[in-house]
Amino acid sequence: MAQNQRGDYRKHETLFGEFRHSCLGRLIITCGILGILALIAWITNPSEQTMRQEMDDNIRQWIQENDSLNNDWIDDAVLNTGFIFTAADSVNTPEQEKLLEQFDKHNRLEYFNHDLFSTMHIYNSFHIEGKRCGIGFFGIVIPTVNFNDFLLREGPMRKDYNQPIIRNTGEEEYFGENPDLGGVFRYNGE
């Protein structure tokens, strides 16, 4: 091959190809994609009515699912993820209906719209400043609450002033096989 027939070693890219491989081009393309996602998030942001319906359903599922065991955060996250795709049973036991009435009496849900997403907060005498119990974006409502966030009864929170809050963990003290509980029952040897 003669020296004058080698050609040039340039790639001869199109103007769009050069723009796509430049730093400014990549930045503009990334901003465009994020802008489109933001527009979709703004359009599909759940309304207050949708958030209330979904959170009421999630609260019903928590009340129906409660089995007196204290779950850790992993169990709560798995249950909340499952609640996104399932609905509560339409038939409640009288005990569950009573808990739902007590929930409505002692708790308040409030909706906040943040343009690209929305949140729902629960207010009660234990969460005075409110606690986020659900977040909604892209048309999906994700619960972030667990059964312990609900105030289903009222009573004393402290034994005395400046004492720690009484937390009922559900664990009972075990006194042994034959406890002495103050001599209420006396054995007279028969």
Side-chain angles (χ1 to χ4, degrees), residues 69-80:
L69 294 176
N70 289 332
N71 298 333
D72 59 355
W73 67 272
I74 295 174
D75 293 334
D76 294 341
V78 169
L79 285 173
N80 280 331

Side-chain angles (χ1 to χ4, degrees), residues 22-167:
S22 70
C23 183
L24 178 65
R26 289 181 182 184
L27 182 66
I28 291 174
I29 291 171
T30 303
C31 289
I33 291 171
L34 290 177
I36 291 170
L37 285 175
L39 180 66
I40 293 171
W42 180 70
I43 291 171
T44 60
N45 187 9
S47 65
E48 182 174 1
Q49 180 183 5
T50 304
M51 285 287 287
R52 286 201 182 277
Q53 288 174 348
E54 290 293 323
M55 286 311 300
D56 286 344
D57 180 62
N58 294 330
I59 289 166
R60 283 182 178 274
Q61 289 184 61
W62 265 113
I63 288 175
Q64 291 172 355
E65 192 71 30
N66 184 33
D67 58 358
S68 75
L69 294 176
N70 289 332
N71 298 333
D72 59 355
W73 67 272
I74 295 174
D75 293 334
D76 294 341
V78 169
L79 285 173
N80 280 331
T81 303
F83 292 162
I84 295 171
F85 306 107
T86 59
D89 294 336
S90 59
V91 179
N92 291 324
T93 63
E95 181 179 304
Q96 292 171 349
E97 287 295 330
K98 182 180 174 187
L99 287 174
L100 284 170
E101 289 173 12
Q102 289 177 348
F103 176 84
D104 292 335
K105 181 180 177 184
H106 300 299
N107 298 279
R108 177 176 50 100
L109 294 175
E110 196 166 313
Y111 171 80
F112 294 98
N113 187 2
H114 303 284
D115 292 333
L116 300 180
F117 65 98
S118 54
T119 58
M120 187 72 79
H121 291 246
I122 187 169
Y123 292 90
N124 52 38
S125 60
F126 195 67
H127 299 292
I128 296 169
E129 295 179 1
K131 181 177 181 185
R132 186 182 67 228
C133 65
I135 184 168
F137 58 92
F138 293 117
I140 299 172
V141 178
I142 301 171
T144 60
V145 70
N146 67 23
F147 188 79
N148 296 328
D149 294 331
F150 308 151
L151 184 65
L152 300 176
R153 59 196 168 281
E154 288 187 342
M157 291 181 63
R158 302 175 191 272
K159 289 184 179 181
D160 198 12
Y161 181 73
N162 269 348
Q163 294 296 314
I165 293 175
I166 300 170
R167 298 204 184 267

